[in-house]
Amino acid sequence: MQSKFKALSLSFKNAPVAIRELVSLDEGAVRSLLGKLREFFSLTDTLILSTCNRTEIYYSHELDLSTEIIKLVGLEKGLVDTISYLEYFDIYQDDKSAISHLFRVAMGLEAQVIGDMQISNQVKRSYQTAVDMDMAGPFLHRLMHTIFFTNKKVVQETAFRDGAASVSYAAVELIEELTSNTHQPRVLLVGLGEIGEDVAKNLVYLGDAQIKIANRTFSKAKELATEYNFEAIPFEKCFEAMEDADVIISSVAMPEPLISKALISQFNIKSYKLLVDLSVPRSIETAVEDLPGVLLYNVDNIRSKATETLSKRKAAIPQVENIIVESIKEFYDWKKEMMVSPTINKLKNSLEQIRKEELERYLKKVDADGQQFEIIDKITKSMMQKILKVPVVQLRAACKRDQAEEMIDIINDLFDLEKEEAKKANH
C-alpha cells in the first residue's frame, strides 16, 4: 500500500481569479489528466478537485512530482511557461499535512464562505471520477469514506453547516422559503456581476423554479443559461419579463434605480411579487414596498442574516477541528494496521510452509492413518498459532509507537521473509 500521500493546492487564498481560471479543470480535463498521471507515473491513489475557488491534486508516490504535475496541467490547458505558476501552489510533501488539508477542505474549513455546503458534494464527485478511472486504491477508498463519515458527524453534532453564510446563498434560501407554496415559481435574475453570477449558480437548488436571466452582455447570460439550463433574455426585454415574474432579483450597477415604484405599479399583481435588491447602490426604489402584494428585501437584510449564520459557524470551528483530529487518528490506526498486514501474512505463509514440509517428511516415514494425521495436523497448527502470537502482538504494538518500519525489518531479517517470498515467486 502506498503511503507517501502528497498534495498541490492552488486556491483563492494565494491566487487571483485570473490565475484560478487559467488552471481550472472541467470534468473532461480531470479525466484526461488522471489518465496521463497513471500512464506517466503509474499513480493509483489520485484525486483531482477543481472548483471556481481551487484546483488541487492529491496523489501517492515516493517522489515529489509537483513540478511534473503542474507541467501536465499546463499541457492539458494549453498554457506556456507553466512552471511560473508554481508560486501560486501550496505543496504538501508529507501524508499527514496532505491528509489534514483534504479533511479541512472537504469539511468547508478552507472555503471562501466558511462551512460551504457545496464543497462536500464537489469532493464526492471528484472521488467518483477517481473511482471511475480506476485511480483509487485501498488507501484512497478508506480515506474518502472516513471523510464522508466525518462530514456526517459535523452536520449532526455541530452548527457548522446551519443556515446560509453567503449573501448569494442566503438570498436563494430566502426565495425558496417565500415561494414554498408556489408551484414552479417564475424567477428573473437581472445582472450577472460577481454576486449575480454567484446567485445564478445557487438558483439551481430551487428545484422546479422557472428561471430567466438577463445581462447587459447577452453572451454571458447565454453562457450561464446553457450551463444551468436557464432561459437567457436580452437586457432590453427584462422589463416585459418583470410583469410575469413572481420573483425579481436585481444585481446591477447603475447610478439610478432600475426598478421604480411607477414601473411596478403598472403590473397586474395577482398574488405577490418578491423583489430582492442585491445592488450597492440600491437598484430598486424602496417605495415599491407601499404597493399591495410587493415584498422587498435588500442586501443589508440578507447580509445580516448571512453574518449571523457565519458567526455561529465560526463559533463551531473548534468542535469541527476536534472531530477531524479524532477521525484522522482512527484513519492512521487503520493505516498502521495495513502497513504491518503484509508482513504478518508473509510470516504466516512462511511458518505454514515449514509446517507442511515437516508434516510431509514425517508422513513419508510413518504409516499414519487419517485419524493420526488429523491429530498431528491440529497439533502443528496450534503450535504455529502460538509461535505467531508474539511477533504479531509486537508488530501491532510497534504500530502504536510509530516504530512499525523498524519492527518489520527485524521480522523480515529474523525469518528471512524476503528470501521466502522470492523462492515462492520462482515456483
Side-chain angles (χ1 to χ4, degrees):
M1 184 190 69
Q2 298 184 64
S3 61
K4 306 294 182 186
F5 198 58
K6 299 175 176 66
L8 293 88
S9 169
L10 178 143
S11 75
F12 69 95
K13 292 191 172 182
N14 50 10
V17 68
I19 299 294
R20 298 202 304 273
E21 284 172 346
L22 281 174
V23 299
S24 178
L25 303 162
D26 60 21
E27 193 177 346
V30 166
R31 287 175 178 272
S32 175
L33 183 57
L34 283 170
K36 287 184 176 73
L37 290 170
R38 181 176 54 207
E39 184 186 344
F40 297 158
F41 305 110
S42 303
L43 294 185
T44 52
D45 289 311
T46 309
L47 183 83
I48 299 176
L49 175 66
S50 194
T51 71
C52 56
N53 280 327
R54 64 181 66 250
T55 294
E56 299 187 328
I57 297 106
Y58 297 85
Y59 65 100
S60 288
H61 200 275
E62 292 295 318
L63 304 174
D64 172 18
L65 301 176
S66 305
T67 304
E68 290 82 355
I69 289 172
I70 289 168
K71 283 178 181 174
L72 281 177
V73 171
L75 188 66
E76 196 61 49
K77 297 289 293 184
L79 302 173
V80 291
D81 191 28
T82 325
I83 210 64
S84 63
Y85 298 108
L86 189 59
E87 64 180 288
Y88 296 105
F89 283 85
D90 284 325
I91 296 171
Y92 299 88
Q93 291 279 28
D94 63 282
D95 59 344
K96 285 189 177 175
S97 62
I99 287 167
S100 177
H101 180 69
L102 180 52
F103 266 90
R104 291 182 64 83
V105 167
M107 293 311 117
L109 284 169
E110 299 295 323
Q112 200 162 25
V113 177
I114 295 289
D116 182 3
M117 290 181 284
Q118 294 177 50
I119 190 68
S120 58
N121 292 327
Q122 289 163 338
V123 170
K124 279 182 185 174
R125 284 197 295 272
S126 296
Y127 169 56
Q128 188 57 56
T129 302
V131 172
D132 292 345
M133 294 288 294
D134 200 22
M135 293 289 278
F139 176 90
L140 191 62
H141 283 305
R142 181 72 181 217
L143 176 60
M144 297 311 296
H145 285 285
T146 305
I147 284 171
F148 301 149
F149 175 76
T150 306
N151 186 54
K152 197 179 286 185
K153 211 170 174 187
V154 165
V155 171
Q156 290 170 348
E157 297 180 13
T158 75
F160 191 62
R161 290 281 171 75
D162 293 355
S166 73
V167 169
S168 55
Y169 195 86
V172 173
E173 193 178 68
L174 172 74
I175 293 163
E176 184 176 27
E177 201 178 295
L178 295 176
T179 61
S180 59
N181 294 322
T182 304
H183 176 61
Q184 293 187 329
R186 293 161 298 181
V187 179
L188 172 66
L189 169 62
V190 184
L192 296 171
E194 192 175 340
I195 289 183
E197 186 175 348
D198 204 32
V199 170
K201 289 173 184 174
N202 284 294
L203 282 171
V204 294
Y205 299 110
L206 279 185
D208 67 345
Q210 297 176 1
I211 296 161
K212 293 181 180 180
I213 56 176
N215 191 55
R216 276 175 284 202
T217 307
F218 183 66
S219 58
K220 185 170 184 180
K222 192 77 179 161
E223 188 182 328
L224 273 173
T226 303
E227 186 175 352
Y228 297 110
N229 202 25
F230 300 157
E231 182 186 343
I233 61 171
F235 191 77
E236 57 272 16
K237 290 195 175 179
C238 71
F239 296 105
E240 292 172 36
M242 284 179 192
E243 181 156 17
D244 291 333
D246 299 306
V247 180
I248 302 166
I249 309 160
S250 180
S251 178
V252 292
M254 295 180 78
E256 295 296 323
L258 174 73
I259 300 169
S260 63
K261 182 180 177 180
L263 173 70
I264 301 295
S265 65
Q266 296 170 36
F267 299 156
N268 179 20
I269 301 171
K270 292 173 184 171
S271 175
Y272 71 90
K273 199 170 285 288
L274 171 60
L275 304 180
V276 180
D277 189 352
L278 298 179
S279 312
V280 180
R282 286 178 287 190
S283 59
I284 303 176
E285 272 185 357
T286 53
V288 298
E289 281 186 298
D290 302 334
L291 297 170
V294 175
L295 298 168
L296 174 65
Y297 286 84
N298 63 37
V299 73
D300 290 338
N301 308 138
I302 294 163
R303 188 175 281 134
S304 69
K305 184 182 178 185
T307 303
E308 189 183 336
T309 298
L310 196 56
S311 298
K312 286 180 185 173
R313 289 188 181 184
K314 284 180 177 173
I317 287 175
Q319 276 179 282
V320 176
E321 288 177 332
N322 286 338
I323 290 171
I324 288 173
V325 167
E326 285 171 22
S327 294
I328 289 176
K329 184 185 177 299
E330 284 171 20
F331 176 74
Y332 265 88
D333 287 344
W334 170 85
K335 182 172 175 280
K336 288 168 183 175
E337 283 285 325
M338 289 301 99
M339 190 177 178
V340 299
S341 285
T343 303
I344 291 171
N345 288 332
K346 281 182 198 173
L347 184 55
K348 278 183 182 174
N349 292 338
S350 178
L351 292 177
E352 177 65 9
Q353 187 64 31
I354 293 167
R355 187 186 77 83
K356 283 181 175 174
E357 284 172 3
E358 290 306 306
L359 201 56
E360 202 176 308
R361 191 178 303 158
Y362 170 79
L363 290 173
K364 277 180 185 174
K365 294 177 182 178
V366 177
D367 185 21
D369 60 26
Q371 193 176 3
Q372 277 184 312
F373 176 79
E374 279 180 27
I375 292 167
I376 297 163
D377 188 56
K378 195 173 179 182
I379 290 168
T380 53
K381 273 183 182 172
S382 176
M383 287 172 65
M384 193 185 86
Q385 292 299 327
K386 286 180 180 176
I387 292 165
L388 263 173
K389 190 175 179 181
V390 174
V392 169
V393 167
Q394 290 297 334
L395 264 173
R396 287 184 173 143
C399 273
K400 290 178 182 173
R401 299 193 304 268
D402 283 329
Q403 295 174 335
E405 288 186 17
E406 295 94 315
M407 187 60 73
I408 286 169
D409 288 342
I410 290 167
I411 288 174
N412 273 331
D413 290 345
L414 193 61
F415 291 93
D416 211 2
L417 297 182
E418 298 303 327
K419 185 180 173 186
E420 288 298 320
E421 281 292 300
K423 195 196 297 180
K424 200 157 57 171
N426 290 331
H427 287 303

